[in-house]
Amino acid sequence: MSLAVISIIAISLGAFGCAGLTDQQIVSKIIDTSNNVKSFKLGMDISENTGNVSAKETGTASVNNVTKEALMNINTVMDSTPGGTQTSTIDEYLTGGYLYMKENITGTDYWTKIKVDESRWNAEDQLAQQIVFLQTATSISRLDDETVNGLDCYVFQITPDMSEVLKWMQSQSPSGTGLQNLNPDVYKSTTLKMWIDKKELIPAKREY
């Protein structure tokens, strides 16, 4: 069982009015608006339980699409029987065409420096990953509006075509990575909820 909550605060070049539009027209404008986002902040909270192993992953990220710079922090706590509890922290800094990654495992820091080209940047685009769920949706239904972090939001229940989502992720991923070798048949369709900021027409939260 897993639970993932992704929260996004974005700054776009301008939003569209949605008065009088159908749900599908609103979704189309959300997709259009995503192309105009200059920067965004991301929060992540993922819990997973599999057999004797439970893991909790929390993190934050700030991304500037104009300067192609990003800052990310991920904290992971894993409990297993009989292994006990293990913690790790990853800090990533993307600037000047390089990704600097510091991983702390059991109190020891490990540094990695990676050259980042356009394909790597696209693969790390978290906002685009949210939008692809809408673009590939086989079913979209409107739920009651809600407020998230003070934002008035539309709420949609979405069933994306996971085989198409995986194809998109593989197309954005650099060659030679493990993602390229994943079997689409392994991934079944899933249903998720997405909260959309009414003012900016940008995803504010995702949960599945």
Side-chain angles (χ1 to χ4, degrees):
M1 177 182 180
S2 64
L3 171 66
V5 178
I6 309 294
S7 302
I8 294 178
I9 301 174
I11 300 174
S12 66
L13 296 178
F16 303 90
C18 289
L21 297 182
T22 66
D23 293 347
Q24 188 56 55
Q25 288 172 325
I26 292 174
V27 170
S28 296
K29 288 190 174 294
I30 293 166
I31 294 172
D32 290 340
T33 301
S34 68
N35 296 320
N36 294 323
V37 171
K38 296 187 294 184
S39 61
F40 64 90
K41 294 182 178 181
L42 175 73
M44 176 177 62
D45 189 338
I46 299 175
S47 299
E48 185 169 2
N49 294 286
T50 306
N52 294 325
V53 179
S54 65
K56 183 174 181 61
E57 189 174 75
T58 57
T60 59
S62 298
V63 179
N64 189 314
N65 285 326
V66 178
T67 61
K68 294 192 181 303
E69 295 179 312
L71 171 64
M72 180 180 293
N73 171 267
I74 300 174
N75 300 291
T76 302
V77 179
M78 182 176 296
D79 290 312
S80 62
T81 303
T85 301
Q86 293 182 328
T87 62
S88 65
T89 301
I90 297 177
D91 295 306
E92 294 186 354
Y93 311 88
L94 202 163
T95 183
Y98 285 92
L99 174 65
Y100 303 88
M101 183 170 64
K102 181 181 73 172
E103 185 173 11
N104 184 290
I105 303 176
T106 62
T108 303
D109 289 340
Y110 301 90
W111 280 94
T112 304
K113 179 181 178 182
I114 303 172
K115 178 66 176 177
V116 176
D117 57 16
E118 192 68 21
S119 63
R120 178 72 186 228
W121 175 263
N122 292 337
E124 298 291 337
D125 190 340
Q126 297 292 324
L127 178 58
Q129 291 177 25
Q130 312 306 308
I131 296 301
V132 76
F133 287 112
L134 290 170
Q135 292 174 315
T136 64
T138 59
S139 173
I140 298 177
S141 58
R142 176 88 172 269
L143 305 179
D144 292 339
D145 296 351
E146 294 182 16
T147 300
V148 175
N149 297 326
L151 302 175
D152 192 14
C153 293
Y154 300 113
V155 185
F156 291 96
Q157 182 168 292
I158 303 163
T159 302
D161 185 332
M162 291 307 294
S163 63
E164 291 300 317
V165 171
L166 183 57
K167 289 178 183 177
W168 179 87
M169 293 176 66
Q170 290 174 326
S171 72
Q172 302 299 312
S173 180
S175 60
T177 62
L179 188 60
Q180 296 290 335
N181 301 320
L182 291 179
N183 183 354
D185 295 334
V186 175
Y187 291 82
K188 298 179 180 180
S189 294
T190 186
T191 299
L192 57 92
K193 288 176 66 177
M194 187 173 289
W195 288 255
I196 305 295
D197 179 359
K198 287 184 179 181
K199 181 179 180 181
E200 295 292 342
L201 289 184
I202 292 296
K205 178 181 176 182
R206 186 190 85 210
E207 181 178 295
Y208 63 88

Short mmCIF file of all heavy atoms in Angstrom, two decimals, residues 179-203:
data_model
loop_
_atom_site.label_atom_id
_atom_site.label_comp_id
_atom_site.label_asym_id
_atom_site.label_seq_id
_atom_site.Cartn_x
_atom_site.Cartn_y
_atom_site.Cartn_z
N LEU A 179 15.04 3.11 -16.38
CA LEU A 179 13.68 3.40 -16.80
C LEU A 179 13.43 2.93 -18.22
O LEU A 179 12.32 2.52 -18.58
CB LEU A 179 13.40 4.90 -16.68
CG LEU A 179 11.96 5.37 -16.91
CD1 LEU A 179 11.02 4.71 -15.91
CD2 LEU A 179 11.87 6.88 -16.83
N GLN A 180 14.47 2.96 -19.05
CA GLN A 180 14.31 2.56 -20.44
C GLN A 180 13.98 1.08 -20.57
O GLN A 180 13.41 0.65 -21.57
CB GLN A 180 15.60 2.86 -21.23
CG GLN A 180 15.94 4.34 -21.33
CD GLN A 180 14.98 5.08 -22.23
OE1 GLN A 180 14.35 4.51 -23.11
NE2 GLN A 180 14.84 6.38 -22.01
N ASN A 181 14.32 0.28 -19.57
CA ASN A 181 14.15 -1.17 -19.65
C ASN A 181 12.91 -1.69 -18.94
O ASN A 181 12.69 -2.90 -18.90
CB ASN A 181 15.39 -1.86 -19.06
CG ASN A 181 16.67 -1.47 -19.78
OD1 ASN A 181 16.68 -1.34 -21.00
ND2 ASN A 181 17.74 -1.25 -19.03
N LEU A 182 12.09 -0.79 -18.39
CA LEU A 182 10.90 -1.23 -17.68
C LEU A 182 9.87 -1.78 -18.65
O LEU A 182 9.71 -1.27 -19.76
CB LEU A 182 10.30 -0.07 -16.88
CG LEU A 182 11.13 0.43 -15.69
CD1 LEU A 182 10.42 1.60 -15.03
CD2 LEU A 182 11.35 -0.68 -14.67
N ASN A 183 9.16 -2.80 -18.21
CA ASN A 183 8.14 -3.44 -19.03
C ASN A 183 6.80 -2.74 -18.79
O ASN A 183 6.28 -2.77 -17.68
CB ASN A 183 8.04 -4.92 -18.67
CG ASN A 183 7.03 -5.66 -19.53
OD1 ASN A 183 6.33 -5.06 -20.34
ND2 ASN A 183 6.98 -6.96 -19.36
N PRO A 184 6.19 -2.13 -19.83
CA PRO A 184 4.91 -1.43 -19.64
C PRO A 184 3.81 -2.34 -19.12
O PRO A 184 2.87 -1.88 -18.47
CB PRO A 184 4.59 -0.91 -21.05
CG PRO A 184 5.89 -0.88 -21.77
CD PRO A 184 6.69 -2.04 -21.19
N ASP A 185 3.90 -3.64 -19.41
CA ASP A 185 2.85 -4.57 -18.98
C ASP A 185 2.80 -4.72 -17.46
O ASP A 185 1.80 -5.18 -16.91
CB ASP A 185 3.07 -5.94 -19.62
CG ASP A 185 2.93 -5.89 -21.14
OD1 ASP A 185 2.20 -4.99 -21.61
OD2 ASP A 185 3.53 -6.72 -21.83
N VAL A 186 3.89 -4.36 -16.79
CA VAL A 186 3.94 -4.49 -15.34
C VAL A 186 3.07 -3.44 -14.66
O VAL A 186 2.57 -3.64 -13.56
CB VAL A 186 5.40 -4.39 -14.84
CG1 VAL A 186 5.46 -4.40 -13.32
CG2 VAL A 186 6.22 -5.54 -15.43
N TYR A 187 2.86 -2.31 -15.33
CA TYR A 187 2.16 -1.18 -14.72
C TYR A 187 0.69 -1.19 -15.09
O TYR A 187 0.33 -1.15 -16.26
CB TYR A 187 2.82 0.14 -15.16
CG TYR A 187 4.19 0.31 -14.57
CD1 TYR A 187 5.29 -0.30 -15.16
CD2 TYR A 187 4.37 1.03 -13.41
CE1 TYR A 187 6.55 -0.18 -14.60
CE2 TYR A 187 5.63 1.17 -12.84
CZ TYR A 187 6.71 0.57 -13.45
OH TYR A 187 7.95 0.68 -12.90
N LYS A 188 -0.15 -1.27 -14.09
CA LYS A 188 -1.58 -1.26 -14.30
C LYS A 188 -2.11 0.16 -14.12
O LYS A 188 -1.46 1.02 -13.53
CB LYS A 188 -2.26 -2.20 -13.31
CG LYS A 188 -1.84 -3.67 -13.45
CD LYS A 188 -2.55 -4.52 -12.43
CE LYS A 188 -2.12 -5.98 -12.57
NZ LYS A 188 -2.78 -6.86 -11.58
N SER A 189 -3.29 0.39 -14.64
CA SER A 189 -3.92 1.71 -14.50
C SER A 189 -4.18 2.01 -13.02
O SER A 189 -4.48 1.11 -12.23
CB SER A 189 -5.23 1.77 -15.28
OG SER A 189 -4.99 1.67 -16.66
N THR A 190 -4.06 3.25 -12.67
CA THR A 190 -4.32 3.68 -11.30
C THR A 190 -5.23 4.88 -11.33
O THR A 190 -5.40 5.53 -12.37
CB THR A 190 -3.00 4.03 -10.59
OG1 THR A 190 -3.27 4.29 -9.21
CG2 THR A 190 -2.35 5.27 -11.21
N THR A 191 -5.86 5.17 -10.22
CA THR A 191 -6.72 6.34 -10.11
C THR A 191 -6.11 7.30 -9.11
O THR A 191 -5.64 6.88 -8.05
CB THR A 191 -8.13 5.93 -9.65
OG1 THR A 191 -8.72 5.05 -10.61
CG2 THR A 191 -9.03 7.17 -9.52
N LEU A 192 -6.10 8.57 -9.44
CA LEU A 192 -5.52 9.57 -8.55
C LEU A 192 -6.42 10.79 -8.49
O LEU A 192 -7.28 10.99 -9.35
CB LEU A 192 -4.11 9.95 -9.00
CG LEU A 192 -3.95 10.49 -10.43
CD1 LEU A 192 -4.04 12.01 -10.44
CD2 LEU A 192 -2.60 10.05 -10.99
N LYS A 193 -6.21 11.58 -7.44
CA LYS A 193 -6.90 12.85 -7.29
C LYS A 193 -5.92 13.98 -7.54
O LYS A 193 -4.77 13.90 -7.12
CB LYS A 193 -7.50 12.99 -5.88
CG LYS A 193 -8.69 12.09 -5.62
CD LYS A 193 -9.17 12.23 -4.17
CE LYS A 193 -9.72 13.60 -3.87
NZ LYS A 193 -10.24 13.72 -2.49
N MET A 194 -6.40 15.01 -8.22
CA MET A 194 -5.55 16.17 -8.49
C MET A 194 -6.32 17.44 -8.15
O MET A 194 -7.45 17.63 -8.59
CB MET A 194 -5.10 16.18 -9.95
CG MET A 194 -4.08 17.27 -10.26
SD MET A 194 -3.42 17.14 -11.96
CE MET A 194 -2.42 15.67 -11.84
N TRP A 195 -5.69 18.28 -7.33
CA TRP A 195 -6.24 19.57 -6.95
C TRP A 195 -5.62 20.63 -7.85
O TRP A 195 -4.39 20.70 -7.98
CB TRP A 195 -5.95 19.88 -5.49
CG TRP A 195 -6.72 19.08 -4.50
CD1 TRP A 195 -7.78 19.51 -3.75
CD2 TRP A 195 -6.48 17.71 -4.09
NE1 TRP A 195 -8.21 18.50 -2.92
CE2 TRP A 195 -7.44 17.39 -3.11
CE3 TRP A 195 -5.56 16.74 -4.48
CZ2 TRP A 195 -7.49 16.13 -2.50
CZ3 TRP A 195 -5.61 15.48 -3.88
CH2 TRP A 195 -6.58 15.18 -2.91
N ILE A 196 -6.44 21.50 -8.45
CA ILE A 196 -5.96 22.51 -9.38
C ILE A 196 -6.29 23.90 -8.85
O ILE A 196 -7.45 24.21 -8.56
CB ILE A 196 -6.62 22.35 -10.77
CG1 ILE A 196 -6.40 20.94 -11.32
CG2 ILE A 196 -6.08 23.39 -11.74
CD1 ILE A 196 -4.97 20.59 -11.61
N ASP A 197 -5.27 24.72 -8.69
CA ASP A 197 -5.47 26.10 -8.24
C ASP A 197 -6.34 26.83 -9.27
O ASP A 197 -5.97 26.95 -10.44
CB ASP A 197 -4.09 26.78 -8.14
CG ASP A 197 -4.17 28.23 -7.72
OD1 ASP A 197 -5.29 28.75 -7.52
OD2 ASP A 197 -3.11 28.86 -7.59
N LYS A 198 -7.50 27.32 -8.84
CA LYS A 198 -8.43 27.96 -9.76
C LYS A 198 -7.85 29.23 -10.39
O LYS A 198 -8.15 29.57 -11.54
CB LYS A 198 -9.74 28.32 -9.03
CG LYS A 198 -10.62 27.13 -8.70
CD LYS A 198 -11.93 27.62 -8.07
CE LYS A 198 -12.86 26.47 -7.74
NZ LYS A 198 -14.14 26.95 -7.17
N LYS A 199 -7.03 29.94 -9.63
CA LYS A 199 -6.49 31.21 -10.12
C LYS A 199 -5.40 31.00 -11.16
O LYS A 199 -5.42 31.60 -12.23
CB LYS A 199 -5.95 32.03 -8.96
CG LYS A 199 -5.40 33.38 -9.36
CD LYS A 199 -4.90 34.17 -8.15
CE LYS A 199 -4.34 35.52 -8.57
NZ LYS A 199 -3.82 36.29 -7.41
N GLU A 200 -4.43 30.12 -10.85
CA GLU A 200 -3.29 29.94 -11.74
C GLU A 200 -3.46 28.77 -12.72
O GLU A 200 -2.69 28.63 -13.66
CB GLU A 200 -2.02 29.71 -10.92
CG GLU A 200 -1.59 30.88 -10.07
CD GLU A 200 -1.10 32.06 -10.89
OE1 GLU A 200 -0.77 31.86 -12.08
OE2 GLU A 200 -1.06 33.18 -10.35
N LEU A 201 -4.48 27.92 -12.45
CA LEU A 201 -4.71 26.73 -13.29
C LEU A 201 -3.47 25.85 -13.35
O LEU A 201 -3.05 25.39 -14.43
CB LEU A 201 -5.16 27.14 -14.69
CG LEU A 201 -6.57 27.70 -14.79
CD1 LEU A 201 -6.94 27.96 -16.25
CD2 LEU A 201 -7.60 26.78 -14.15
N ILE A 202 -2.90 25.62 -12.18
CA ILE A 202 -1.70 24.78 -12.04
C ILE A 202 -1.99 23.75 -10.94
O ILE A 202 -2.61 24.07 -9.93
CB ILE A 202 -0.48 25.64 -11.65
CG1 ILE A 202 -0.09 26.55 -12.81
CG2 ILE A 202 0.69 24.77 -11.27
CD1 ILE A 202 0.39 25.82 -14.05
N PRO A 203 -1.52 22.50 -11.12
CA PRO A 203 -1.71 21.51 -10.05
C PRO A 203 -1.19 22.02 -8.71
O PRO A 203 -0.05 22.48 -8.61
CB PRO A 203 -0.91 20.30 -10.54
CG PRO A 203 -0.92 20.44 -12.03
CD PRO A 203 -0.83 21.91 -12.29
#
